[in-house]
Amino acid sequence: MEKFHQDIRKAARMIMQSENAFAFTGAGISVESGIPPFRGENGIWNKYDPKSLDLNYFYSNPLESWAVIKKIFYDFFGEARFNRAHEVLAMMEKQGYLKGVVTQNIDNLHFEAGSRVVHEFHGNMKKLVCTKCHQHFMVHMVSLENLPPSCSYCEGLLKPDFVFFGENIPYEAFTSSFSLAEKADVVIVVGTTGEVVPASHVPLTAKQQGARIIEINMEPSNYTHTHTDVFLKGKASEVLHHLFIAMNHE
Ligand code: NAD
């Protein structure tokens, strides 16, 4: 326990002395909000077939795809609320310690917790986009009673505005994320296995430019033994809470 608190104090000093720190987050930060990760024992892909999120499958089988998408993303975790971990990152940004968050998550919870600069590498499930005229809609403005939903302007097929398998990363999020990474001196990596490419290259790029990595996870990840400078083992909300207290009492 003493080692954990020493590491918390070390990480707090690293963040406070940094000039360009940012956070890189994955599914683990939202687990305590009730949203399961994709992989692992309780992962979503243990219950549902990931082909529903394959772009080609979606275009050829929109009804089947949408039935699964609705169940997972809109019935099941549509009502999730941000937790202490999202809140602490928002407060660190407000206090001037973080330049922003690069998130692989699509759940909108960083914005809801008050973060201003959020680069959503894989898009956002709260928005839908027309696959024909590219008009965007907030999902709560669209009825999901009759699937698949269609565009009120051109009747084209609507798709959740997050990245499917086989789809490119949104240009703006991609360039902004790597531009933060190239300037960074500290990255706080929270709740990610580091398995999803190219997102996993964001902290690696920062590390190559000389940034130090503080990692928060319940288990070691692809980064832990090779790239992480300080590993803080535990639940994201608890570890970030301790880190925030340490930063405000240094
Ligand atoms: P992942 O599912 O591969 O791994 C989750 C990681 O979080 C693991 O390393 C696990 O040990 C850790 N973890 C679990 N509970 C934790 C907790 N309470 N505190 C801290 N860490 C915890 O997740 P990934 O690496 O982000 O990759 C999955 C991809 O799936 C992402 O690209 C993301 O787009 C998508 N995804 C998003 C959501 C979401 O929006 N909330 C949910 C599931 C998957």
Side-chain angles (χ1 to χ4, degrees), residues 34-35 70-81 107 109 112 125-126 139:
I35 303 181
K70 178 174 181 283
K71 229 186 244 165
I72 304 177
F73 296 97
Y74 301 109
D75 296 345
F76 180 37
F77 59 67
E79 297 300 314
R81 295 254 309 136
D107 55 29
L109 296 183
E112 289 172 29
M125 62 178 255
K126 301 279 164 151
V139 70

Side-chain angles (χ1 to χ4, degrees), residues 30-188:
S30 297
V31 166
E32 292 162 82
S33 293
I35 303 181
F38 278 166
R39 292 177 198 75
E41 216 180 306
N42 298 316
I44 292 165
W45 300 145
N46 268 351
K47 249 179 151 179
Y48 297 100
D49 190 339
K51 77 172 181 236
S52 306
L53 294 190
D54 178 280
L55 198 60
N56 289 330
Y57 182 84
F58 175 78
Y59 281 123
S60 13
N61 304 277
L63 176 57
E64 290 80 357
S65 255
W66 256 109
V68 176
I69 290 168
K70 178 174 181 283
K71 229 186 244 165
I72 304 177
F73 296 97
Y74 301 109
D75 296 345
F76 180 37
F77 59 67
E79 297 300 314
R81 295 254 309 136
F82 61 84
N83 66 53
R84 179 74 180 147
H86 300 97
E87 206 171 56
V88 165
L89 293 181
M91 289 193 290
M92 285 184 184
E93 180 191 351
K94 208 169 179 185
Q95 291 185 333
Y97 293 124
L98 284 191
K99 294 287 182 226
V101 178
V102 174
T103 188
Q104 300 169 85
N105 296 344
I106 56 172
D107 55 29
N108 203 45
L109 296 183
H110 285 296
F111 279 123
E112 289 172 29
S115 284
R116 296 272 174 85
V117 180
V118 184
H119 302 302
E120 296 177 305
F121 210 85
H122 293 149
N124 186 317
M125 62 178 255
K126 301 279 164 151
K127 285 183 268 169
L128 305 181
V129 59
C130 175
T131 54
K132 204 163 148 198
C133 72
H134 308 294
Q135 179 72 36
H136 283 86
F137 300 87
M138 293 311 292
V139 70
H140 66 264
M141 305 292 286
V142 175
S143 165
L144 297 181
E145 286 301 308
N146 294 315
L147 297 178
S150 57
C151 177
S152 51
Y153 294 104
C154 74
E155 294 185 0
L157 170 66
L158 294 183
K159 172 189 166 295
D161 197 18
F162 58 71
V163 175
F164 278 37
F165 298 118
E167 196 173 13
N168 288 336
I169 305 301
Y171 178 78
E172 172 63 29
F174 184 92
T175 49
S176 309
S177 301
F178 280 100
S179 139
L180 260 188
E182 277 160 15
K183 291 195 280 271
D185 45 10
V186 167
V187 189
I188 311 174

